[in-house]
Amino acid sequence: MSVPSPLTAGLAERLPELTAIYRDLHANPELSFQEERTAGVVAARLTEAGFEVTTGVGGTGVVGVLRNDSGGTGGSVLLRADMDALPVAEADRVPYRSTVTATGPDGELSPVMHACGHDTHVTSLLGAAAQLSARRADWSGTVLAVFQPAEEIGAGSRAMLDDGFLDRFPRYDVALGQHVISGPAGHLWVRPGVFMAAGDSLRVTVFGRGGHASAPQATVDPIVIAASIVLRLQTIVSRELAATDVAVVTVGAIRAGAKENVIPAEAELKLNIRTFDARVRERVLAAVERIVTAEAAAAGAPRPPEIAPINDFPLLVNDETAARRVITAFTESFGAEVVHEPSMKPASEDFGRFGAAAGVPSVFWNFGGFDQAHYPDPAQPALAVAAGGAPGNHSPDFVPDAVDAALLRGTEALLTAASLWLT
Amino acid sequence: MSVPSPLTAGLAERLPELTAIYRDLHANPELSFQEERTAGVVAARLTEAGFEVTTGVGGTGVVGVLRNDSGGTGGSVLLRADMDALPVAEADRVPYRSTVTATGPDGELSPVMHACGHDTHVTSLLGAAAQLSARRADWSGTVLAVFQPAEEIGAGSRAMLDDGFLDRFPRYDVALGQHVISGPAGHLWVRPGVFMAAGDSLRVTVFGRGGHASAPQATVDPIVIAASIVLRLQTIVSRELAATDVAVVTVGAIRAGAKENVIPAEAELKLNIRTFDARVRERVLAAVERIVTAEAAAAGAPRPPEIAPINDFPLLVNDETAARRVITAFTESFGAEVVHEPSMKPASEDFGRFGAAAGVPSVFWNFGGFDQAHYPDPAQPALAVAAGGAPGNHSPDFVPDAVDAALLRGTEALLTAASLWLT
Amino acid sequence: MSVPSPLTAGLAERLPELTAIYRDLHANPELSFQEERTAGVVAARLTEAGFEVTTGVGGTGVVGVLRNDSGGTGGSVLLRADMDALPVAEADRVPYRSTVTATGPDGELSPVMHACGHDTHVTSLLGAAAQLSARRADWSGTVLAVFQPAEEIGAGSRAMLDDGFLDRFPRYDVALGQHVISGPAGHLWVRPGVFMAAGDSLRVTVFGRGGHASAPQATVDPIVIAASIVLRLQTIVSRELAATDVAVVTVGAIRAGAKENVIPAEAELKLNIRTFDARVRERVLAAVERIVTAEAAAAGAPRPPEIAPINDFPLLVNDETAARRVITAFTESFGAEVVHEPSMKPASEDFGRFGAAAGVPSVFWNFGGFDQAHYPDPAQPALAVAAGGAPGNHSPDFVPDAVDAALLRGTEALLTAASLWLT
Amino acid sequence: MSVPSPLTAGLAERLPELTAIYRDLHANPELSFQEERTAGVVAARLTEAGFEVTTGVGGTGVVGVLRNDSGGTGGSVLLRADMDALPVAEADRVPYRSTVTATGPDGELSPVMHACGHDTHVTSLLGAAAQLSARRADWSGTVLAVFQPAEEIGAGSRAMLDDGFLDRFPRYDVALGQHVISGPAGHLWVRPGVFMAAGDSLRVTVFGRGGHASAPQATVDPIVIAASIVLRLQTIVSRELAATDVAVVTVGAIRAGAKENVIPAEAELKLNIRTFDARVRERVLAAVERIVTAEAAAAGAPRPPEIAPINDFPLLVNDETAARRVITAFTESFGAEVVHEPSMKPASEDFGRFGAAAGVPSVFWNFGGFDQAHYPDPAQPALAVAAGGAPGNHSPDFVPDAVDAALLRGTEALLTAASLWLT
């Protein structure tokens, strides 16, 4: 028998409004550090809900503070949502689909899509903010509603912290955050301890010698070097790590040449690396450098490739005690059948810096966004994604098809977890 | 002892003007079928020289006709220059370097450079036109000065012919054209018979399944497929053709993904293929299709790649008799030590259509653009390019460093060859 | 404070004899199912110790039975050692190194080496048998000393079981076995639950078309196909499995051609696959078939490759309860600092069939064979192997350098674990 | 109208005997430098024909000298046949097929086959020797019948010359030799000038670090390195040479590992390289070294690969004047429709050393061995081989199916060419 938190009372009535916010955000996605419009929507709603609002924190970040000293002994809770979208062209699945384009940091125009569902995070946190404002009698303490830019590039949380976050805003006892996944709406996944991977993104620039497509002998073909690098990088995971080491090495982008009859002088690769411990991370990074250098040497490249960091994500580690409290609260509120303890995820998330910087526990969880028919085993929704039965995060098809249930549960989860520190 | 053609008398005095034209064109390159500004310069100069000028032929092509019935028995000669430039970022070698950018047919903005030296072709033909105009007493007959668009994509000559060229302009007895190469300025290379390769350009689109960079198991990674294709395509030339078959298979462009943490759904390759006979061409095209299809199947791609033609170039064959006449005239005018008979070139050129369409002989030759110090063996300048001692066509460094001598000899060569049919 | 089992009393005095047995076995290794000499040594020693001995069980297997009804309530314990060696050329590290050669199942002569340490297993079990015989007053029940052939090819335990093992010999309450590893002598590693991988070995025969090395165009080069397969197989682990899936895909042998100037008609690959669950195993096997087939198709192979099983190993799962009892006994006897619970191992072992076939618990553990100076962290000796500080199983350098301590602890471990069921 | 040489009169009657010799040789092939039995057959036949016979020249070589001073002014002619066979398993096509096995220089037993047709060379030269002996009235001068060992490894001609050949036997005015090919029996192919490639064979040993197949992280996998080398070597021909350069780089053998569950410590590749000029040869050899070294470095190999020469072949260049004389004689004797001038062949042959060492012209030609139905275009029989319509040299199917016609024409060709210098 589940017992919902009093903070969630009346939430269902807000759903039409939340859905409208969500659709508006979904149709108007913005790339990392370009979240101007989103920040405007957020600031307006927070102001409306009675929060003290500060914008432009760490670029386009927004912080809303609500103090509620109504006699209670509640502490201080940071609730965080991330706001940015991705350079992905959205599939044609919903009427509010994005047709937006924007110029990314590379200077290239690309379509933009909320392919990682941050629009549901923003909406859920706005819903929680509205509830907290409306139901001040049911809690005491301080809430920081943090809307972070640029999570996708691992830079937003650092930018906010570097912008004096800890000095400018109230201290907090716990940091809470969440992410929508491809899983049944209504379900939640929380893992105490190491939850998500460290992430390192690298830009590899390969230097050849350009020339005419018909005279390869006068060139050093950087596309052949780049292709050799891509294939040889596969051996890091397959040969250089133990089967029980957990790591991913992905080449997410490759780019060289414009015209078929010109052999270009350079090629660019963007790598993304996920690891769960420092030893493995160092071994992978060393192998990347070794392989990239040697494959260029194999072709007689005029100079070695350049490897430059694009961004990095810390490990995401949920505080054991705090996470167990959250799991208990979720189980009591929503039922054991919808609360799961997943295995470690090789995806990354920069949320952890809010806990680490303040020296306080943090807890991060996932909530589902899709119709449960896609998922034969709700505890392991990734199986359905792997089998092609449901879209994965970052794909052009990652458009939640159970929006109402997802927003409801996302908002309830924030309120339920927060209430543990606000009473 | 060399005997220059009377048509070249006084040409040296025009050099400052020709150099100025050249530098202006070099600094203002235009992509294929976008040669508006260049066509404007050409039309103005031709008009000034007394030619009847028609613009907009086959898009941006310009045709100037000069009839000179001064009592002689001369025939009719077509002289052709091509006008387009390439999406290459020019190296910083000369003050008049290009900083121009333009949007190509793919909708992408790119830098533009006269990396194939068509600016020297235009300038030389304008120089020849001015001389022909000024020295009408020295020849008789009809000259067609043809400034063609879009040679780089093999489409300009066809576009002009498809635009009624043969009906709208006087018939001609011979078609003459030339191309600057990485070789000592002052030197000329003419090959009777098969001179340049047939060219086929293909766009290969590889379909995978996109997703999050940390969850490759839920995707089919098109970048790994594309890399496998690039490497396996090398085996066409190395394994599937005889050592004595002459062919080149180049992947000139590869493009997939934008962000390192998204595995893209597709990858695009642009291929360029050069062959010298139909049997080899068919074998190569069949092997490309086989390899591309199988490498996608190896990854379990959701559907096979698409292979679409981008453009094609015909074989370039110099008429044996006419080419021998031109070689003799060049030798007598400039000295045997600067006239060479090269081996077949795997580069392609769409000039041949002007001769083939009219059923008349055509002759095409190369002239050098660079300081002779780069080339230990002037007969084989490609060796210096292969050794890295001189830039090849289409490279960011292909900026002639002996401009005056190159323009002088390029103009002289047109006049000397043309005079064979104009007296 | 550790309390050794009474069964081990006086064992140290046997060490010179055990070391002599070990050195003799090490110098005379035999390939799978060829363990004639080893079986002879074993049978003689068992007979000497008063066991009822049966030879030729499942080929070259030996079973010794010792019944001891001395008033106790002890049960029945199966103790198993494996006898076969590997086709590896031993490095020159010890005076008793192997210089033996033998003809393997492929008909090829190769050097033979106890590169997996089965000589220590045989010796330890002979030591335990001698102790059990000598110290009948300290236990009661029945002991089956099982010396198995052909563990390396996953076939020996099945061969013995298929040879009527369960019917011909006394039933047992538990099956115990052990394996020496690269780790500090004296230490033991036991993991309750899934301990070692399922293993599948496959022979892949690639068909091309042979011919003269100078005319590849008249052939289909199977070496290029095989190389492409090797590289593409890497993507199974790197791209087709989740980072948290545990699997290894190794090409352990490749063979094609004899003479450099003949392109051979065929190539052969031997694959070894390790997995820990059925879903992953099936996905890997399907991917192997897909890749192998497609890479041959990419080359236009005249027919698809053949994939045939060489052998297979079951998962090794330690009974949770029995394993915990063994861990407790080891800890009490030898001290907690030398007893470790390792992570799952991707190596395979066919021991598990003895427990599964009889429907009784089985427990399998590892013991160290080397000087502890090699291992900065005794709990994770694999780190030292990975770092190159210590030789791994199957390498030419896998020659225990702490033989006395290893044999002592190996024998003690068998006796200590067995005593749990023999009192 | 063709006019046969008088030396060939009555040759047809010898055919049954020649066919018997051929079948015997075919059924009893011997590897390079092991041609003991063949040499015995040859020596017996030459002695029978009245030649002075020396055996054991350069190992197993045989030289027969026949002086005929019958009043003429004839010169001295060297006729050469090579005797060795290949480690190839013969297909089951003829009753006299080889079932012979032998141990090669690597110490490995392999099947042996006359897969390059040297048995037809030996038989034809024995036929010519018998005719020369029988028809001394029709010629004058000196004939050296040279039966050379070890042509397949490029070593036999050098071994004979190093064994004092020029000093021990009469000097000669011309050296003549021939090779059977996949082409219509009765036809001949002669190319003045450069005819066959220089050949370089190399053994590449790749060093990794061996270990257990389940723990690749503790190894450096030499099979992955070897596979990467094989694929990257393809880029030498496809990318590093001009399309008009003629070269072949073949990996004819690859060998690593024995058992699937051991990652071996080493891998071996045997390379065969064909080139037609010194510059290309040097570029290829440098690229091989660069690629091999870098691909090992990419894997972190403990030491760089070793590259050692196996053998080498010189360019085969036919003397222009002598070859034109031979072509004329062939055309007059056999008809123009069966005499062809082929393009350069990337195969190699060590015959050229006999001419070069003596400073005299040499002429080498090909003769066909198969039914003409296989070859739509007799001038280009290689097209039929490439299309799979006829077997190529070195394939298991290279068993001439028009033996009588082949032996007849091969013998006639030797006699007809020799007669030019013997009258």
Side-chain angles (χ1 to χ4, degrees), chain C residues 276-298:
Chain C
F276 286 95
D277 82 51
R279 180 188 57 81
V280 170
R281 177 174 176 271
E282 273 156 40
R283 189 160 188 180
V284 170
L285 291 175
V288 166
E289 185 174 352
R290 173 173 21 88
I291 287 171
V292 159
T293 305
E295 292 297 337

Side-chain angles (χ1 to χ4, degrees), chain A residues 197-222:
Chain A
D200 288 275
S201 293
L202 304 172
R203 183 188 316 272
V204 174
T205 310
V206 174
F207 301 101
R209 190 163 57 232
H212 197 283
S214 68
Q217 76 279 8
T219 74
V220 175
D221 186 338

Side-chain angles (χ1 to χ4, degrees), chain A residues 318-341:
Chain A
N318 276 338
D319 181 80
E320 288 273 355
T321 308
R324 290 276 166 223
R325 289 184 65 194
V326 169
I327 289 172
T328 302
F330 284 176
T331 305
E332 289 174 354
S333 296
F334 313 125
E337 69 283 4
V338 301
V339 182
H340 313 282
E341 287 195 32

Side-chain angles (χ1 to χ4, degrees), chain B residues 130-179:
Chain B
Q131 284 289 112
L132 286 163
S133 174
R135 305 195 60 85
R136 289 182 216 206
D138 294 321
W139 62 284
S140 69
T142 301
V143 167
L144 290 83
V146 174
F147 294 82
Q148 172 199 312
E151 186 281 331
E152 292 292 350
I153 59 174
S157 64
R158 185 156 46 201
M160 292 187 81
L161 288 162
D162 287 352
D163 200 11
F165 184 86
L166 294 180
D167 295 333
R168 294 165 64 186
F169 304 104
R171 300 309 290 252
Y172 41 96
D173 301 311
V174 69
L176 304 175
Q178 62 180 359
H179 206 299

Side-chain angles (χ1 to χ4, degrees), chain D residues 258-335:
Chain D
K259 226 171 156 319
E260 66 287 347
N261 68 339
V262 183
I263 294 174
E266 297 182 12
E268 185 191 82
L269 301 169
K270 291 186 192 168
L271 273 59
N272 183 250
I273 294 161
R274 312 284 172 141
T275 52
F276 286 95
D277 82 51
R279 180 188 58 79
V280 170
R281 179 174 175 270
E282 273 157 38
R283 189 158 187 181
V284 170
L285 291 174
V288 167
E289 185 174 352
R290 173 175 19 89
I291 287 170
V292 158
T293 305
E295 292 298 336
R303 58 188 175 110
E306 284 173 10
I307 304 177
I310 298 174
N311 61 54
D312 62 277
F313 288 83
L315 264 188
L316 182 79
V317 185
N318 277 338
D319 181 80
E320 288 273 352
T321 307
R324 290 278 166 219
R325 288 184 66 193
V326 169
I327 290 172
T328 302
F330 284 177
T331 305
E332 289 174 354
S333 295
F334 313 126

Side-chain angles (χ1 to χ4, degrees), chain B residues 213 216-217 221 224-225 228 232 235 238-242 263 283 290-291 294-295 297-300, chain C residues 216-217 221 224-225 228 232 235 238-243 263 283 290-291 294-295 297-300:
Chain B
Q217 76 279 8
D221 187 338
V224 167
I225 300 174
S228 300
R232 204 64 180 273
T235 66
S238 71
R239 297 279 90 187
E240 301 203 32
L241 299 182
I263 294 174
R283 189 161 187 178
R290 172 173 22 87
I291 288 171
E295 292 299 336
Chain C
Q217 76 279 7
D221 186 339
V224 167
I225 299 174
S228 300
R232 203 65 180 272
T235 64
S238 71
R239 299 278 88 187
E240 300 203 32
L241 300 181
I263 295 173
R283 189 160 188 180
R290 173 173 21 88
I291 287 171
E295 292 297 337

Side-chain angles (χ1 to χ4, degrees), chain C residues 248-266:
Chain C
V248 182
V249 178
T250 286
V251 179
I254 183 169
R255 191 157 293 234
K259 227 172 154 318
E260 65 287 347
N261 68 339
V262 183
I263 295 173
E266 297 183 12

Side-chain angles (χ1 to χ4, degrees), chain C residues 270-417:
Chain C
K270 292 185 191 166
L271 272 60
N272 185 251
I273 294 160
R274 312 285 173 142
T275 52
F276 286 95
D277 82 51
R279 180 188 57 81
V280 170
R281 177 174 176 271
E282 273 156 40
R283 189 160 188 180
V284 170
L285 291 175
V288 166
E289 185 174 352
R290 173 173 21 88
I291 287 171
V292 159
T293 305
E295 292 297 337
R303 58 188 175 111
E306 284 173 11
I307 304 177
I310 298 174
N311 61 55
D312 62 276
F313 288 83
L315 262 188
L316 183 79
V317 186
N318 278 337
D319 180 80
E320 288 272 354
T321 308
R324 290 276 166 222
R325 288 183 66 193
V326 169
I327 289 172
T328 302
F330 283 176
T331 304
E332 288 174 354
S333 296
F334 312 126
E337 67 284 3
V338 301
V339 182
H340 312 282
E341 288 194 30
S343 54
M344 295 187 298
K345 289 171 71 96
S348 297
E349 170 57 72
D350 77 345
F351 164 73
R353 292 197 186 101
F354 286 108
V360 303
S362 62
V363 184
F364 193 80
W365 62 86
N366 292 152
F367 64 107
F370 290 79
D371 193 290
Q372 62 187 10
H374 301 302
Y375 308 94
D377 178 358
Q380 298 192 73
L383 295 182
V385 177
N393 291 64
H394 289 201
S395 89
D397 295 308
F398 190 78
V399 187
D401 60 6
V403 172
D404 282 11
L407 295 175
L408 186 60
R409 183 51 39 93
T411 308
E412 288 172 343
L414 287 171
L415 292 166
T416 302

